Amino acid sequence: MTRTLKVAGVYNLFWGAWVILLPNHFFELTEMEPLNHPMIWQGMGMVIGLYGLGYWWASYDPIRHWPIVAIGLLGKLFGPVGFVFNYFTGQTPISFGFMLITNDLIWWLPFFLILRKVHFETNWKLR
């Protein structure tokens, strides 16, 4: 659990920094039109970076800090839902979806397993 959350923390910090420092780079890679207001995308980078800090801190005591993991998993579930909706309404190209693999999908199982362990050890009690 500790290693998973540390890796997730570092990944999110790097991803957030990349989006903040080079806001148009992702759009260039996916051949999407850059945003008119890149600060919106940079704001998303800031939020992702903050998730990274949360995962890092949660790694020191994952059982105690399970709500951070739960919020992270919910975000990693709802992000792809939003993508699917926007893809099928023609607002987002499939190339945008490749980001979901590393940002969301690969974390589903590890985060679920952490929360499963928390459930069996604490019955979801906040400590």
Side-chain angles (χ1 to χ4, degrees):
M1 293 187 304
T2 296
R3 193 172 304 132
T4 295
L5 290 170
K6 284 196 185 306
V7 170
V10 170
Y11 173 81
N12 279 261
L13 285 168
F14 276 109
W15 198 91
W18 171 53
V19 168
I20 291 168
L21 297 172
L22 302 167
N24 290 322
H25 191 235
F26 174 79
F27 296 96
E28 294 165 2
L29 291 174
T30 57
E31 298 180 354
M32 293 175 64
E33 185 149 342
L35 297 174
N36 290 333
H37 303 285
M39 65 191 237
I40 296 169
W41 187 242
Q42 290 171 309
M44 179 61 117
M46 179 203 59
V47 170
I48 299 302
L50 291 174
Y51 270 97
L53 290 175
Y55 298 148
W56 186 268
W57 291 327
S59 74
Y60 290 102
D61 191 350
I63 301 298
R64 180 175 182 200
H65 299 295
W66 69 265
I68 294 171
V69 179
I71 290 168
L73 180 59
L74 288 172
K76 292 175 184 316
L77 291 171
F78 293 139
V81 169
F83 165 75
V84 169
F85 175 80
N86 285 295
Y87 174 74
F88 283 110
T89 58
Q91 298 178 54
T92 305
I94 195 71
S95 59
F96 189 91
F98 291 111
M99 171 188 61
L100 300 177
I101 297 168
T102 56
N103 279 14
D104 300 311
L105 303 179
I106 66 169
W107 303 106
W108 285 3
L109 182 60
F111 279 34
F112 170 78
L113 292 174
I114 290 169
L115 293 173
R116 184 172 176 259
K117 183 171 177 63
V118 168
H119 172 68
F120 286 117
E121 288 190 15
T122 69
N123 203 21
W124 301 108
K125 293 177 185 156
L126 293 173
R127 303 191 305 177

